[in-house]
């Protein structure tokens, strides 16, 4: 076998199935928290209201998104002070504020709002822990797509609460935790990092029962300094597992498989490698670049046809299926759920344009590995002309210029035309050579592209979030 586990542990690849205990209890709903209880948990005081006022809906940072019965978390930043928006949150339905000073709403006043939010989230989840399976997920790329796939797998089996979009940092994770309800069976937490210790801090809020590590790539390389430092950070997911927790590791990435040394608990591997516990076999793409394949374990196999674009999604799907198996979802059920999955916004999001061209909006984020995967997906789609619209990849440190030039050369081999956007995209144009069209900014890119697109064209839009190439995609759609 290619996974290790204590002799007394049940096999992570023999799912127990969903039982009556997995289904919502009769009192399903939000976990009510009185202001007095919140204040006691976070070491604060209640100002401007009764301690018996009860929060019955999720916490939010944006007052416009408050729900009736919710909690508004007021953070004071350099550009805006959340306390100034307490009234707005109240009009949207919030009944209380967690802040560093009193507001027009009943307020739990603390010295450190961020630390208080984290403490409150840890307390709320601890109250649900006897009926909750927590899944943590990290990696240099593919986190959100895999989280979306895993959410589809688990939600088909039992009530699931998962990270919305990519809210995966020290604020997003506790906000997701506070969305868990009494009926929640699975809590899926995407965890990101920009420095060593970030994931350890997040697993310190709630130790995952299942921890997924997708890969060790080059995202945030400029901040980490080396891939070794990135590997150490991603390994914090495995080191932070709950006692007896299962590590789900990429068999195709040696830096990830080495993390099995960080745990004495069960380990399940996924990928295309022959030794993977959940293996991708017979991968093929249709004319739209959508993958179909077989997932195989030691004692089962299932066919998967993903409604998503890109061969790289097969690996993400195998990770989701492996985590699903560890959580008790049979392989056949996981495969069926994967066949109906959808992704968060701006992740290879297809749009049919009015003139007959197809746009792939992958503008949420980019690093060298994810950008190459997106270009491979573009090359696999049948079309009259393939156009790559590329912007800057941020946080690559001293290797930034070289990585951008290398991406340009890679794009030129897979696209008929490489449109680069902004000063940060200029090295991409240098690498792409004669196929490149360098343009000054997003508006210039949209203006140049709009009259030149023709029926049958396929256009990929990809860059780091800071480049805001979603503006180009929006202008074209």
């Amino acid at each position: 076998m290619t996974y290790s586990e204590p002799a007394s542990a049940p096999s992570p690849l023999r799912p127990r199935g969903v039982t009556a205990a997995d289904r919502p209890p009769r009192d399903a709903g939000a976990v009510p928290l009185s202001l007095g209880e919140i204040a006691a948990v976070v070491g604060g005081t209640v100002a401007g209201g009764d301690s018996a006022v009860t929060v019955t809906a999720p916490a939010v940072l944006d007052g416009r998104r408050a729900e009736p019965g919710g909690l508004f978390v007021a953070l004071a930043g350099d550009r805006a002070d959340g306390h100034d928006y307490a009234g707005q949150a109240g009009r949207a339905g919030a009944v209380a504020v967690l802040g560093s000073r009193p507001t027009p709403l009943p307020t739990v006043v603390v010295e450190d709002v961020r630390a208080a939010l984290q403490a409150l989230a840890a307390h709320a989840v601890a109250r649900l822990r006897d009926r909750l399976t927590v899944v943590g997920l990290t990696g240099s790329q593919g986190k959100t797509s895999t989280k979306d796939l895993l959410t589809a797998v688990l939600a088909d089996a039992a009530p699931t609460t998962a990270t919305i979009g990519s809210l995966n940092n020290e604020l997003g994770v506790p906000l997701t935790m506070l969305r868990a309800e009494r009926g929640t069976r699975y809590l899926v937490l995407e965890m990101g990092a920009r420095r060593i210790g970030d994931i350890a801090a997040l697993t310190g809020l709630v130790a995952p029962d299942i921890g997924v590590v997708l890969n060790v790539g080059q995202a945030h390389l400029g901040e980490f300094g080396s891939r070794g430092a990135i590997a150490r950070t991603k390994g914090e997911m495995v080191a932070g597992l709950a006692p007896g927790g299962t590590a789900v590791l990429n068999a195709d990435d040696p830096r990830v498989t080495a993390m099995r040394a960080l745990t004495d608990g069960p380990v399940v591997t996924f990928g295309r490698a022959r030794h993977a516990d959940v293996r991708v076999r017979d991968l093929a793409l249709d004319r739209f670049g959508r993958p179909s394949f077989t997932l195989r374990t030691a004692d089962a196999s299932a066919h998967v046809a993903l409604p998503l674009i890109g061969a790289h999604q097969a690996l993400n799907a195998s990770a989701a299926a492996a985590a699903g198996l560890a959580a008790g979802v049979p392989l056949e059920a996981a495969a069926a759920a994967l066949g109906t999955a959808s992704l968060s916004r701006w992740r290879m999001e297809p749009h049919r344009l009015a003139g007959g061209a197809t746009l792939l909006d992958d503008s949420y984020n980019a690093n060298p590995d994810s950008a190459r995967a997106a270009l491979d997906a573009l090359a696999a789609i049948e079309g009259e002309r393939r156009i790559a619209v590329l912007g800057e990849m941020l946080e690559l440190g001293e290797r930034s210029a070289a990585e951008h030039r290398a991406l340009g050369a890679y794009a030129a081999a897979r696209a008929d035309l490489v449109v680069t956007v902004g000063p940060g995209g200029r090295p991409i144009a240098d690498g792409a050579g004669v196929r490149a069209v360098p343009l000054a900014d997003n508006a210039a890119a949209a203006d140049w592209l709009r009259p030149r697109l023709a029926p049958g064209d396929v256009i990929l839009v990809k860059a780091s979030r800071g480049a805001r190439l979603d503006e180009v995609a929006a202008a074209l759609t």
Side-chain angles (χ1 to χ4, degrees):
M1 304 295 287
T2 58
Y3 62 87
S4 58
E5 57 181 291
S8 60
S11 168
L13 292 182
R14 294 190 181 89
R16 59 179 175 77
V18 177
T19 68
D22 298 320
R23 296 187 175 89
R26 290 181 181 178
D27 62 342
V31 178
L33 294 165
S34 71
L35 295 194
E37 181 180 1
I38 293 173
V41 169
V42 303
T45 58
V46 179
D50 186 345
S51 294
V53 170
T54 300
V55 173
T56 59
V60 296
L61 298 178
D62 184 341
R64 296 167 298 182
R65 298 182 180 275
E67 299 178 22
L71 177 69
F72 175 55
V73 181
L75 290 170
D78 295 334
R79 297 185 178 181
D81 186 341
H83 299 80
D84 296 337
Y85 297 91
Q88 178 190 66
R91 290 189 293 274
V95 296
V97 173
L98 177 63
S100 56
R101 67 173 187 267
T103 74
L105 292 179
T107 305
V108 177
V109 179
V110 296
E111 289 188 10
D112 187 333
V113 177
R114 186 170 310 191
L117 172 65
Q118 294 172 347
L120 181 61
H123 170 76
V125 169
R127 291 177 55 176
L128 303 173
R129 208 62 174 96
D130 61 334
R131 60 179 61 153
L132 194 64
T133 296
V134 178
V135 185
L137 186 150
T138 194
S140 293
Q141 57 268 346
K143 290 187 295 297
T144 301
S145 295
T146 305
K147 176 266 301 179
D148 292 338
L149 292 168
L150 176 57
T151 301
V153 168
L154 297 178
D156 254 20
T160 298
T161 298
T163 301
I164 295 174
S166 295
L167 296 176
N168 59 23
N169 63 8
E170 72 278 6
L171 296 174
V173 169
L175 288 174
T176 302
M177 293 168 64
L178 287 169
R179 288 177 39 240
E181 300 182 344
R182 288 173 292 191
T184 300
R185 173 65 179 85
Y186 297 116
L187 176 61
V188 180
L189 299 171
E190 179 182 329
M191 297 184 179
R194 292 181 180 273
R195 60 191 64 84
I196 292 174
D198 280 357
I199 292 176
L202 296 175
T203 61
L205 301 180
V206 55
D209 302 294
I210 301 166
V212 184
V213 183
L214 296 174
N215 42 55
V216 175
Q218 300 180 71
H220 311 304
L221 184 61
E223 296 190 8
F224 282 103
S226 70
R227 291 184 80 166
I230 295 172
R232 288 196 295 276
T233 303
K234 303 307 181 188
E236 292 167 8
M237 174 68 75
V238 180
L241 287 169
T246 299
V248 179
L249 305 178
N250 184 351
D252 300 342
D253 188 328
R255 289 183 174 90
V256 176
T257 55
M259 295 175 191
R260 65 169 59 244
L262 300 175
T263 180
D264 294 327
V267 174
V268 181
T269 59
F270 62 89
R272 301 187 71 175
R274 292 180 62 86
H275 61 274
D277 294 317
V278 180
R279 185 182 177 193
V280 176
R281 297 286 305 274
D282 306 321
L283 175 62
L285 300 177
D286 68 11
R287 60 189 294 264
F288 301 107
R290 297 174 301 197
S292 61
F293 50 92
T294 298
L295 289 178
R296 182 164 296 172
T297 67
D299 52 10
S301 65
H303 179 73
V304 178
L306 288 179
L308 313 175
I309 297 170
H312 61 288
Q313 298 294 359
L315 181 69
N316 294 338
S318 70
L325 284 168
V329 179
L331 186 65
E332 282 286 351
L338 290 168
T340 64
S342 60
L343 300 184
S344 297
R345 200 175 173 198
W346 301 313
R347 279 87 173 174
M348 295 300 285
E349 185 178 356
H351 297 274
R352 187 73 168 174
L353 303 185
T358 298
L359 172 72
L360 304 178
D361 185 354
D362 200 31
S363 61
Y364 186 80
N365 217 338
N367 60 64
D369 299 311
S370 67
R372 285 193 291 268
L375 287 164
D376 288 342
L378 174 66
I381 298 174
E382 292 184 11
E384 293 298 319
R385 187 173 52 157
R386 297 173 183 85
I387 303 171
V389 182
L390 304 175
E392 185 174 9
M393 301 178 293
L394 300 174
E395 300 174 353
L396 294 179
E398 62 185 16
R399 289 195 51 80
S400 180
E403 291 291 352
H404 283 83
R405 286 193 296 271
L407 181 64
Y410 198 86
R414 286 157 179 78
D416 301 294
L417 189 63
V418 181
V419 175
T420 66
V421 184
R426 185 67 206 216
I428 302 175
D430 295 340
V434 296
R435 296 204 174 188
V437 178
L439 296 169
D441 53 32
N442 290 348
D447 289 343
W448 190 91
L449 285 163
R450 196 180 291 110
R452 290 172 172 83
L453 298 181
D457 285 349
V458 183
I459 308 100
L460 168 71
V461 178
K462 181 76 171 172
S464 283
R465 185 69 183 142
R468 294 304 307 266
L469 256 62
D470 59 296
E471 296 174 350
V472 177
L476 297 178
T477 56

